[in-house]
Amino acid sequence: IDVIHSHTVHSNGSIGSWLSKRLKVPLVLSIRNVDINTVYKNLFFYRKMILRRITSNKTIFINMAYFDFINKEIKIKNIGKEKNKSEVIPNSINSYWIKNKYHPKQLKSNVVNVLFVGEYTPNKNIDFLLDVFETQWLKDLMFNVQIIGSLDTGLKDNCQYHAHIKSRVKRLDNIKLLEKVTEKEALLKYYRNSDIFFMTSFYETFGLVYAEAMSQGLPIIYTEGQGIDGFYEEGDVGFPVDPTNVEQARSCVGYVVDNYQKISQNCISFVDDFSKEVNINKLVNTYTKCKRKQIVI
């Protein structure tokens, strides 16, 4: 073994740490949603352990927001600056989306089609989507929303949340719930027939659906401080929003509408950042540097 890569800090990071000491080989750690938003924020007795590990190893952040958060915490806790450089390497989307990139889109009518693709869970914050679009609030424009959702029927909370959303949508003419779409070809058509992708989860490690939507020229509305936030400047591919601020979200949607063609073009241009080829090369370079420097905790 030349390098050990643990894909979370709090659980298999312990196994990786033990192996690294035992075998005297470098350890690479990935920082994910569960490390930040579950373990670090709620289990305070793990905080020093997490910070100690990520300042002693090569660290891969899945998104810019977690990178910024942890660096802020390291400074506050005065543990010391990172002993080696961190990397931000996002998740990769299936090559299908890169090979089938669409052309930049234009808004062709006064009807704007909004798409959500995700799970029926409280974390996905579908209520907020309904709050934003349940009334028509832009003059001369109408919004139609399609929700493509998947449901884990084995989880009671998710079933209750699905029933709640279903009940709300019944009263709304411009919002429709669709069945889960498993075939990429079918999902491709929904992306291409839509104008804006909207998903404002409370917590999101990355969110592959954002990049899938970008590949089809859809500007995206996403959560500030989570997932894809931080990879691009505001307005480049869409906007980050506070997942509780309806007026802010509406304002950002309005800006997307006013600058639609430019943002759609950017989405097509930037989506290669999430290709497997690009991110595999980043991983290989990271492993190579670790092996050469022999970083061992």
Side-chain angles (χ1 to χ4, degrees):
I1 298 173
D2 297 311
V3 177
I4 297 164
H5 187 170
S6 293
H7 284 269
T8 60
V9 177
H10 77 286
S11 56
N12 50 45
S14 301
I15 300 170
S17 177
W18 182 83
L19 285 171
S20 179
K21 291 177 181 177
R22 187 71 179 266
L23 302 178
K24 299 187 184 306
V25 297
L27 173 64
V28 177
L29 294 171
S30 286
I31 307 295
R32 296 183 179 275
N33 174 44
V34 67
D35 295 314
I36 300 297
N37 293 312
T38 300
V39 178
Y40 188 88
K41 287 188 176 179
N42 299 320
L43 304 177
F44 64 90
F45 43 85
Y46 277 131
R47 289 182 180 179
K48 287 186 178 180
M49 176 270 288
I50 288 178
L51 292 174
R52 184 171 63 250
R53 281 193 186 148
I54 65 177
T55 53
S56 303
N57 301 275
K58 191 71 174 179
T59 307
I60 293 176
F61 293 86
I62 310 301
N63 62 43
M64 291 296 299
Y66 295 168
F67 174 82
D68 293 339
F69 174 81
I70 286 297
N71 278 320
K72 179 181 177 182
E73 286 298 300
I74 291 172
K75 183 177 180 181
I76 292 174
K77 298 292 182 179
N78 199 28
I79 289 178
K81 295 184 177 180
E82 294 171 290
K83 297 178 181 178
N84 45 75
K85 292 181 180 179
S86 297
E87 302 281 350
V88 178
I89 304 177
N91 291 333
S92 302
I93 57 175
N94 192 289
S95 300
Y96 174 85
W97 302 104
I98 302 297
K99 292 176 181 177
N100 290 280
K101 285 191 292 186
Y102 203 42
H103 54 72
K105 297 162 65 72
Q106 297 182 31
L107 292 177
K108 298 179 180 179
S109 70
N110 65 338
V111 177
V112 179
N113 296 306
V114 179
L115 181 67
F116 167 96
V117 179
E119 300 173 327
Y120 286 109
T121 67
N123 180 58
K124 291 299 180 182
N125 199 21
I126 302 173
D127 269 307
F128 183 69
L129 172 69
L130 304 187
D131 291 342
V132 172
F133 293 105
E134 64 184 351
T135 58
Q136 302 296 337
W137 40 269
L138 271 183
K139 185 179 180 181
D140 299 327
L141 276 183
M142 292 184 61
F143 293 97
N144 287 332
V145 180
Q146 291 185 313
I147 298 172
I148 298 177
S150 59
L151 176 64
D152 185 345
T153 55
L155 296 175
K156 183 179 179 181
D157 287 348
N158 291 357
C159 291
Q160 291 177 341
Y161 188 71
H162 175 252
H164 161 69
I165 294 299
K166 193 173 180 180
S167 175
R168 283 196 64 181
V169 169
K170 282 183 179 179
R171 304 190 296 268
L172 303 172
D173 295 332
N174 64 319
I175 300 178
K176 291 181 171 55
L177 299 184
L178 304 177
E179 297 295 327
K180 178 182 178 181
V181 177
T182 56
E183 297 294 328
K184 289 189 287 293
E185 293 77 7
L187 187 56
L188 179 77
K189 292 179 181 179
Y190 281 107
Y191 282 132
R192 290 186 175 180
N193 290 328
S194 301
D195 300 307
I196 295 173
F197 184 84
F198 190 109
M199 187 175 78
T200 53
S201 309
F202 288 111
Y203 301 118
E204 195 76 59
T205 295
F206 178 70
L208 292 174
V209 288
Y210 294 123
E212 291 175 2
M214 285 173 56
S215 76
Q216 303 310 305
L218 269 69
I220 56 177
I221 302 294
Y222 48 98
T223 307
E224 60 185 22
Q226 296 293 324
I228 203 169
D229 187 24
F231 282 99
Y232 306 107
E233 295 294 326
E234 291 187 14
D236 279 353
V237 298
F239 284 92
V241 299
D242 176 344
T244 64
N245 190 329
V246 170
E247 292 308 313
Q248 180 199 23
R250 289 178 174 176
S251 176
C252 289
V253 170
Y255 188 91
V256 166
V257 169
D258 291 339
N259 299 272
Y260 191 85
Q261 190 170 0
K262 178 183 177 181
I263 298 175
S264 179
Q265 173 66 67
N266 288 342
C267 289
I268 300 292
S269 300
F270 296 158
V271 74
D272 283 346
D273 294 341
F274 309 114
S275 69
K276 289 184 178 180
E277 289 76 13
V278 168
N279 290 321
I280 285 172
N281 285 334
K282 289 179 180 179
L283 280 172
V284 170
N285 289 336
T286 298
Y287 296 155
T288 302
K289 290 176 184 177
C290 282
K291 183 181 177 183
R292 184 169 63 248
K293 294 181 179 180
Q294 285 294 300
I295 302 167
V296 182
I297 63 172

